Every structure is written in structure tokens, then in C-alpha cells.
């Protein structure tokens, strides 16, 4: 499974957009890009995933670079409940997810 | 959406005893489940893949005789920590993937709420 690189932490203000970057330069052609988040003392929560095209859902948008070596998770309007550790992962057919260190997002009121 | 539950949510046990943690998929069948462990301030570490009807697949460095996994049905996987010691104290989390679509697309994974194990 490809390794990903994310900033250790980021800060945002409430109701402002947040762009969380992720590098996955060794991603294989069939690997999906997955984003999960984890609140303290809880199991991770699915956010979004994609393969090549940009994806949108009710939680976020995923912008995938044309060469697929990086992606950006976009929270359009951060709320205090979005404060969490965000994990970017790439995964193949086995569905096995290997978690990296993630990005700790702090949201200021 | 689909729900994965874990039982118990927390447990305290004495050193040398064994503890069983259950992971259930509540409204879908899961032929595969994953077990993770998370220490404070750290990321999740994949321990093993639980396969219904066959042996679990353990990640490198995880002792299969210490962490017994049984996937008895399509909705239940159990992790037994045998002869637990204080260093086994951790947050144990299971997950189950959504079945792939007919086109083979990857789905999302559903994580349980976790089980906090404290060994005294």
C-alpha cells in the first residue's frame, strides 16, 4: 500500500473553508484515495474517497491531482464539530487501510 | 448508513487474564473485518484481517497466539487478548468494509466505536 504524507496539524476559523493536503506519490494506478477522520475516543468516520475524478458529497469535496500523486480534502465551511484528525490513505483491492499520522485540524470559533 | 458495534466499550482486567472483544456488523454482512490497535496520541495500527470461515491474516509483528481472532459468522468477529499485560492496554477498533459494487469499485469502511482495554 502506498505511503501518504500529510501536515501534522492545521488550523482554521469557523465557517471558513479548509484545504487539507495529502501527498501519495507512489500510488498505483488502481488504488483509491480514501479520507477518514477521527474524533477523540471514537472510531474513525468515513469522509470521502475517489479514484481519478474530483468527488463531492455532503461532508466534503475531494480534489485529485491529474497525476494522482496528491489530493486535497476540502471542507467548505468548517464547524467546531469538524475538529478531528484527518487521515488520507490509499488502498487497493484488499480494502486494507493503513493509517498514517494524519492531520490534526483545530477549528477556532 | 451501515453500523458496526463493539462490545464491551471498555474493560478493565487483571494481568494474566484473557479478554474477549466482539465486533458486529448490525445491518450488513461482512466476510472480512479488520482489527486495529491505537495507543494514546498515536495513529491506528492494523493488527489483522479477520476472514469469515478461515484463518485470520496477521500483520508483521503481531503475535497470533496472543491475539486470537475468530470470525464465526458473517456478522461477528471476536478478538481475544490472551494473558493480557499492562502493555496491552490500548484502544481496540474493528472495521468492516462495504461490499464492492458490481463494477468492482471500492466502498467505504465502517468502523466500530472502539473498546478501551486497561490491564492492571
Amino acid at each position: 500500500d502506498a505511503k501518504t504524507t500529510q501536515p501534522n496539524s492545521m488550523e482554521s476559523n469557523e465557517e471558513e473553508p479548509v484545504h487539507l493536503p495529502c501527498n501519495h506519490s507512489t500510488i498505483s494506478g488502481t488504488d483509491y484515495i480514501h479520507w477518514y477522520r477521527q474524533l477523540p475516543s471514537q472510531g474513525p468516520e468515513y469522509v470521502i474517497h475517489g479514484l481519478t475524478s474530483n468527488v463531492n458529497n455532503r461532508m466534503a469535496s475531494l480534489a485529485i491531482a491529474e497525476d494522482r500523486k496528491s489530493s486535497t480534502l476540502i471542507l467548505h465551511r468548517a464547524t467546531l464539530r469538524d475538529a478531528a484528525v484527518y487521515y488520507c490513505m490509499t488502498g487497493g483491492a484488499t480494502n486494507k487501510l493503513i493509517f498514517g499520522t494524519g492531520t490534526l485540524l483545530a477549528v477556532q470559533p | 448508513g451501515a453500523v458496526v458495534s463493539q462490545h464491551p466499550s471498555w474493560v478493565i482486567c487483571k494481568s494474566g487474564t484473557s479478554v474477549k472483544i466482539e465486533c458486529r456488523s448490525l445491518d450488513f454482512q461482512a466476510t472480512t473485518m479488520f482489527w486495529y490497535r491505537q495507543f494514546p496520541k498515536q495513529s491506528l495500527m492494523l493488527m489483522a484481517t479477520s476472514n469469515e470461515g478461515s484463518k485470520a491474516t496477521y500483520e508483521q509483528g503481531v503475535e497470533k497466539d496472543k491475539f486470537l481472532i475468530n470470525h464465526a459468522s458473517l456478522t461477528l468477529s471476536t478478538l481475544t487478548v490472551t494473558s493480557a499485560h499492562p502493555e496491552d492496554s490500548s484502544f481496540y477498533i474493528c472495521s468492516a468494509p462495504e461490499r464492492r459494487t458490481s463494477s468492482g469499485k471500492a466502498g467505504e469502511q465502517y468502523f466500530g466505536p472502539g473498546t478501551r482495554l486497561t490491564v492492571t
Side-chain angles (χ1 to χ4, degrees):
Chain A
D1 295 312
K3 184 177 178 180
T4 61
T5 305
Q6 299 176 253
N8 288 332
S9 63
M10 290 186 66
E11 238 182 58
S12 172
N13 294 318
E14 203 174 5
E15 299 193 3
E16 289 186 357
V18 182
H19 290 233
L20 298 167
C22 179
N23 287 317
H24 29 78
S25 58
T26 58
I27 190 172
S28 74
T30 56
D31 280 351
Y32 283 78
I33 300 158
H34 306 266
W35 283 83
Y36 286 76
R37 70 181 185 183
Q38 185 181 27
L39 279 66
S41 298
Q42 295 186 26
E45 174 189 27
Y46 169 82
V47 178
I48 201 166
H49 76 285
L51 185 61
T52 55
S53 304
N54 294 343
V55 185
N56 300 297
N57 66 21
R58 62 177 180 81
M59 287 182 71
S61 295
L62 177 60
I64 302 173
E66 202 169 322
D67 63 6
R68 299 203 338 119
K69 293 185 177 182
S70 66
S71 62
T72 302
L73 178 70
I74 303 165
L75 306 179
H76 296 285
R77 289 183 64 195
T79 70
L80 296 178
R81 287 178 296 180
D82 291 322
V85 179
Y86 286 78
Y87 296 99
C88 164
M89 294 168 282
T90 57
T94 63
N95 284 330
K96 191 163 68 171
L97 293 176
I98 305 299
F99 285 76
T101 53
T103 297
L104 175 62
L105 175 66
V107 180
Q108 304 299 328
Chain B
V3 176
V4 172
S5 70
Q6 285 185 237
H7 178 79
S9 54
W10 60 270
V11 57
I12 301 172
C13 72
K14 292 187 176 180
S15 188
T17 61
S18 296
V19 175
K20 180 187 285 188
I21 301 170
E22 294 184 348
C23 176
R24 292 181 186 274
S25 55
L26 296 184
D27 52 0
F28 67 105
Q29 294 182 334
T31 56
T32 301
M33 291 183 175
F34 299 98
W35 285 97
Y36 295 84
R37 179 169 57 177
Q38 185 175 34
F39 293 109
K41 305 288 186 184
Q42 294 187 23
S43 184
L44 284 77
M45 186 196 81
L46 179 66
M47 298 176 68
T49 303
S50 175
N51 304 299
E52 189 271 333
S54 64
K55 290 183 179 180
T57 306
Y58 291 83
E59 295 298 304
Q60 192 172 7
V62 178
E63 300 175 56
K64 61 180 181 180
D65 294 329
K66 180 168 183 62
F67 299 100
L68 302 179
I69 291 172
N70 184 280
H71 199 139
S73 75
L74 288 172
T75 59
L76 174 63
S77 174
T78 61
L79 168 69
T80 300
V81 182
T82 63
S83 187
H85 287 95
E87 57 265 31
D88 298 321
S89 298
S90 189
F91 193 47
Y92 291 86
I93 305 168
C94 69
S95 73
E98 179 184 44
R99 279 192 305 177
R100 288 180 171 270
T101 66
S102 57
S103 62
K105 290 185 177 181
E108 64 180 272
Q109 278 201 36
Y110 302 101
F111 284 81
T115 295
R116 185 155 312 276
L117 170 63
T118 302
V119 185
T120 61

